[in-house]
């Protein structure tokens, strides 16, 4: 075949066109149903190579299995689109999708066309698959409560055989011979390498690059702490970072980076913002005591809901330290939701009422709340 042709199963439409039993279509691909089914089946549509007696090349499968017994593949191949069923001619597509024909009967009719049987394959060469049409039956089995999944499948209809470059005497066994099967392994390696080179430009796009390549892209644009970022947020950051690097070190750049990381725009308070209140001595003294420590210090305030875990808070602090100008000190302030003594409260930001808690003095003595006592007494009263 002059032009490389392949079929990909990587979206919902790919699996909807076939037959399914006790299986569900998820965002990741095909999975065994979690409604108590011990096994499930998927039979694909007919894959058409558009060439009689075509020699199919290979199948590459990405899956999540729990032992080799959890996933089984059955490959069928034929040059005909029809089959004889109980004295009548029926198209393979109709037979596969038909709910009137039992699964056992379908397997009986397809058994003469079975060319490959393999458990939990990842990369298989289809030596015996010769015919225009190919279809796949996948059997999924529950293992100790774990449900296997099929994430991605790529079926190659043909390939440029290395045998064609050898003398005629070496081609007598064909692709099914020892030499053809031996060279098939190198053909697969060369094929993968050629596809990577062809698709190399996609690795320069943050939205299409492979996950392991994102950190390389991040280093190229000056982000040394890419490991702190979640994959989806890192992709979003890299998409617009080149333009934002022109204002690196500014307040706008800091707000942009933190907003991408937390999903919410932060509150940044600089020394110059406090100087506006110098005319109000009481307010100025309070702001100076709470925030301002000098003209080269900045306070960054974020809500606790945006960085709920200590890991995320430490990651944000590390990110702020790495991106700030050398002569500036930045203080990260996490605003807890609720009104607490000793904590700044901002109307509409974190001024919310929280659940009832007793006030503790030095962690030893507790001051009961009249509201709490009344609610406790009411809970013990029996209705008349």
């Amino acid at each position: 075949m002059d032009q490389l042709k392949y079929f990909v199963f990587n979206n919902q439409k790919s699996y909807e066109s076939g037959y399914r039993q006790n299986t569900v279509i998820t965002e990741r691909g095909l999975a065994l149903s979690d409604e108590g089914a011990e096994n499930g089946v998927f039979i694909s549509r007919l894959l058409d190579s558009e060439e009689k007696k075509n020699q199919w090349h290979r199948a590459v499968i990405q899956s999540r299995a729990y032992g080799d017994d959890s996933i089984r593949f059955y490959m069928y191949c034929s040059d005909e689109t029809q089959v004889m069923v109980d004295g009548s001619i029926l198209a393979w597509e109709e037979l596969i999708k038909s709910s009137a024909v039992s699964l056992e009967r379908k397997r009986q009719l397809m058994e003469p066309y079975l060319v490959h049987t393999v458990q939990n394959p990842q990369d298989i060469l289809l030596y015996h698959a010769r015919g225009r049409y190919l279809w796949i039956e996948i059997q999924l089995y529950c293992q100790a409560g774990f449900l296997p999944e099929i994430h991605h499948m790529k079926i190659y209809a043909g390939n440029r055989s290395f045998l064609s470059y050898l003398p005629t005497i070496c081609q007598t066994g064909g692709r099914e011979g020892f030499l053809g099967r031996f060279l098939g392994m190198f053909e697969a390696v060369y094929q993968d390498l050629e596809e990577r080179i062809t698709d190399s430009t996609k690795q320069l796009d943050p939205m299409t690059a492979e996950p392991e390549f994102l950190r390389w892209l991040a280093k190229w644009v000056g982000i040394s702490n890419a490991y702190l970022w979640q994959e989806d947020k890192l992709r979003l950051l890299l998409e617009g970072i080149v333009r934002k690097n022109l204002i690196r070190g500014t307040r706008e750049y800091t707000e942009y980076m933190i907003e991408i990381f937390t999903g919410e725009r932060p509150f940044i308070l600089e020394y110059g913002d406090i100087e506006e209140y110098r005319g109000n001595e009481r307010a100025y003294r309070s702001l100076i005591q709470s925030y301002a420590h000098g003209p080269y210090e900045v306070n960054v305030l974020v809500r606790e809901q945006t960085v709920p875990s200590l890991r995320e808070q430490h990651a944000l602090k590390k990110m702020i330290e790495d991106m700030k100008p050398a002569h500036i000190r930045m203080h990260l302030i996490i605003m807890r939701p609720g009104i607490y003594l000793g904590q700044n409260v901002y109307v509409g930001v974190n001024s919310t009422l929280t659940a009832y808690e007793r006030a503790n003095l030095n962690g030893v003595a507790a001051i009961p709340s009249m509201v709490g006592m009344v609610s406790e007494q009411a809970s013990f009263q029996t209705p008349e």
Side-chain angles (χ1 to χ4, degrees):
M1 299 180 66
D2 297 331
Q3 185 177 2
L4 187 63
K5 187 174 183 179
Y6 54 82
F7 302 88
V8 178
F9 290 77
N10 62 352
N11 54 42
Q12 184 175 357
K13 187 177 180 181
S14 304
Y15 298 102
E16 285 181 343
S17 58
Y19 170 83
R20 293 186 296 112
Q21 184 182 77
N22 296 332
T23 56
V24 294
I25 302 174
T26 66
E27 295 180 355
R28 296 182 296 271
L30 183 72
L32 182 63
S33 175
D34 57 356
E35 298 179 355
E38 293 296 325
N39 57 78
V41 176
F42 167 76
I43 304 178
S44 73
R45 71 184 190 277
L46 260 64
L47 308 180
D48 185 4
S49 66
E50 300 180 351
E51 183 179 334
K52 283 281 188 177
K53 296 182 179 181
N54 173 65
Q55 175 63 64
W56 294 78
H57 178 46
R58 63 191 284 227
V60 180
I61 296 98
Q62 297 176 7
S63 62
R64 184 178 183 182
Y66 302 92
D68 289 342
D69 290 336
S70 62
I71 300 178
R72 298 178 186 176
F73 272 71
Y74 298 85
M75 309 283 187
Y76 302 91
C77 200
S78 174
D79 273 320
E80 306 297 331
T81 60
Q82 299 174 333
V83 63
M84 184 71 69
V85 181
D86 299 331
S88 60
I89 298 178
L90 191 66
W92 278 116
E93 291 282 1
E94 298 179 14
L95 176 65
I96 291 174
K97 297 180 180 179
S98 175
S99 57
V101 182
S102 66
L103 182 59
E104 291 74 15
R105 180 57 175 158
K106 291 179 182 179
R107 288 172 175 167
Q108 291 176 0
L109 295 170
M110 293 189 303
E111 186 175 4
Y113 305 92
L114 181 63
V115 291
H116 282 279
T117 301
V118 60
Q119 292 180 322
N120 190 24
Q122 295 182 356
D123 194 336
I124 176 176
L125 295 173
L126 306 176
Y127 299 118
H128 306 299
R130 183 178 291 276
R132 175 172 178 173
Y133 304 99
L134 181 138
W135 65 99
I136 306 170
E137 178 186 355
I138 305 175
Q139 298 180 8
L140 305 177
Y141 294 89
C142 178
Q143 298 290 333
F146 295 100
L147 307 178
E149 300 176 351
I150 303 294
H151 295 163
H152 183 275
M153 294 192 300
K154 196 170 186 179
I155 316 298
Y156 292 85
N159 189 40
R160 293 182 295 272
S161 175
F162 286 181
L163 279 176
S164 60
Y165 299 101
L166 299 180
T168 306
I169 192 173
C170 298
Q171 304 179 26
T172 54
R175 298 192 63 174
E176 295 185 23
F178 171 77
L179 184 59
R181 288 184 283 113
F182 178 74
L183 293 177
M185 296 184 293
F186 299 96
E187 291 173 11
V189 174
Y190 178 80
Q191 190 177 68
D192 290 342
L193 181 61
E194 191 176 43
E195 289 184 9
R196 282 182 172 270
I197 295 174
T198 303
D199 298 338
S200 59
T201 54
K202 295 181 180 179
Q203 304 298 339
L204 302 178
D205 186 351
M207 305 310 293
T208 58
E210 297 179 0
E212 59 269 19
F213 200 76
L214 287 177
R215 293 187 182 181
W216 289 95
L217 290 179
K219 290 181 181 180
W220 294 349
V221 292
I223 300 176
S224 59
N225 50 16
Y227 64 93
L228 299 175
W229 292 76
Q230 298 177 7
E231 181 183 327
D232 56 339
K233 293 182 178 180
L234 183 59
R235 292 184 186 276
L236 186 60
L237 172 68
L238 294 177
E239 190 177 20
I241 195 62
V242 175
R243 295 187 300 272
K244 289 299 181 181
N245 269 344
L246 298 175
I247 57 171
R248 189 181 181 93
T250 64
R251 176 171 180 165
E252 181 182 349
Y253 178 84
T254 304
E255 290 178 344
Y256 172 78
M257 295 286 288
I258 297 176
E259 182 177 3
I260 295 293
F261 188 87
T262 63
E264 185 176 285
R265 194 175 187 85
F267 300 91
I268 296 182
L269 192 62
E270 300 180 78
Y271 187 81
D273 299 329
I274 299 174
E275 287 297 303
E276 298 179 3
Y277 295 89
R278 183 178 288 275
N280 188 334
E281 183 177 354
R282 184 177 179 179
Y284 182 74
R285 188 183 306 123
S286 176
L287 291 172
I288 287 291
Q289 183 179 1
S290 301
Y291 301 107
H293 306 282
Y296 300 106
E297 303 201 13
V298 179
N299 293 277
V300 179
L301 295 87
V302 297
R303 296 198 307 159
E304 188 181 39
Q305 295 93 320
T306 60
V307 280
S309 65
L310 289 176
R311 179 187 177 279
E312 291 175 312
Q313 293 174 14
H314 288 308
L316 178 59
K317 186 175 181 180
K318 171 66 175 174
M319 185 191 72
I320 291 175
E321 287 295 323
D322 290 344
M323 70 178 178
K324 70 176 181 64
H327 64 288
I328 298 295
R329 291 184 60 188
M330 287 189 173
H331 305 277
L332 176 62
I333 301 175
I334 307 296
M335 298 182 294
R336 297 175 56 194
I339 302 174
Y340 298 91
L341 293 176
Q343 174 181 297
N344 294 322
V345 179
Y346 305 89
V347 177
V349 179
N350 67 334
S351 58
T352 58
L353 296 177
T354 59
Y356 158 70
E357 295 180 5
R358 295 180 182 273
N360 294 311
L361 301 177
N362 300 326
V364 178
I367 302 177
S369 169
M370 295 303 297
V371 176
M373 294 173 62
V374 171
S375 61
E376 290 178 359
Q377 293 175 1
S379 62
F380 286 104
Q381 292 180 356
T382 57
E384 299 180 355

